[in-house]
Amino acid sequence: MNATLKTLASAALALGLAAPAMAQDDPLQVGFVYVGSIGDLGWTYEHDQSRLAVEEHFGDAVETSYVENVPEGADAERVMTQMVLSGADLIFTTSFGYMDATNAVAERFPDVRFEHATGYRRDHPNVSTYSARFYEGRAVIGHIAGHMTESNVVGYIASYPIPEVIRGINAAYHHARAVNPDVEFRVVWVYTWFDPAQEADAAQALVDQGADVIMQHTDSTAPMTVAAEAEVVAFGQASDMEQFAPFPRVASIIDNWAPYYIDRTQAVMDGTWESVDTWDGIAPGMVELGEFSDYIPEEVRASAQALADSIADGSYHPFTGPLNRQDGTAWLAEGEVADDGTLAGMDFYIEGITGEIPN
């Protein structure tokens, strides 16, 4: 950045000014802030594939930009601010830990629209939130895991103890236990979204503890590499991770953000954008399931697909009672379905999972 641009940026920050309005014929400027690398073949990779889908859909009417490997904190606020000062009209911030930064920058620049992934705070009318019902996909792969484990030990690499991750553990365990009452989940918390070395260490530790199925809520393919070497079952996370198919990757949860990104970009262009909260799952296609490998027995592939279909058509909800909390107290009665409010703030394990959720 040259001295003149630095001076203008400093002046804009000091005055709290939004970026100037663009000429009507100018392309819409859309920015993306990524917590990981676009080459992670997981979470950030799928967000960037969806960014490319925006470019393909709108052509010259839209210009996109991105910054990858942005830490969750002050660095994120600086990156978002610079995007605004560079002319961004719409910014997608694609990690839970960007919540404070997104709302802080949105307050200073009310004419810019912000979309925050997996968060819940919409402190200002120019902030929207969006997420996927990942737990629907995890119910299906939990069903598969329960059938495929021979040791009855399933390892789960967890990122941070936030509701999104806790929901996923509970959904996977509930559906594994439904088909295998002897199944045990062992959870390792790594406190990172993307750290291949740490994720690999966690996977190896779980294998050493007897896990013959590995699940993950982290973004790299490192656990898949460990699974391949150990010849244990694993599942693609966020993207298909098809390079590890047909084994150890036997199925996958795929995040498809493209339709949402296109829709929200169009809304800005049309002047119809409003602050909303979106939480979509298998039915709208925000959560997809990768092809089931032939390593999964045919009858299990069929039952897993039937489970996915019942979730998609609304005839079944992954959190349907009877279900108790970890301490044995009642949560959902027979046939009762969990409400979205409880799921959005989930901070407890269901009965049967051992260990404690870290503070």
Side-chain angles (χ1 to χ4, degrees), residues 163 167 340-348:
R167 279 195 305 272
D340 276 356
T342 301
L343 293 180
M346 182 170 275
D347 60 357
F348 60 89

Side-chain angles (χ1 to χ4, degrees), residues 273-286:
W273 188 98
E274 294 180 345
S275 175
V276 297
D277 178 55
T278 299
W279 200 12
D280 285 340
I282 291 176
M286 191 174 275

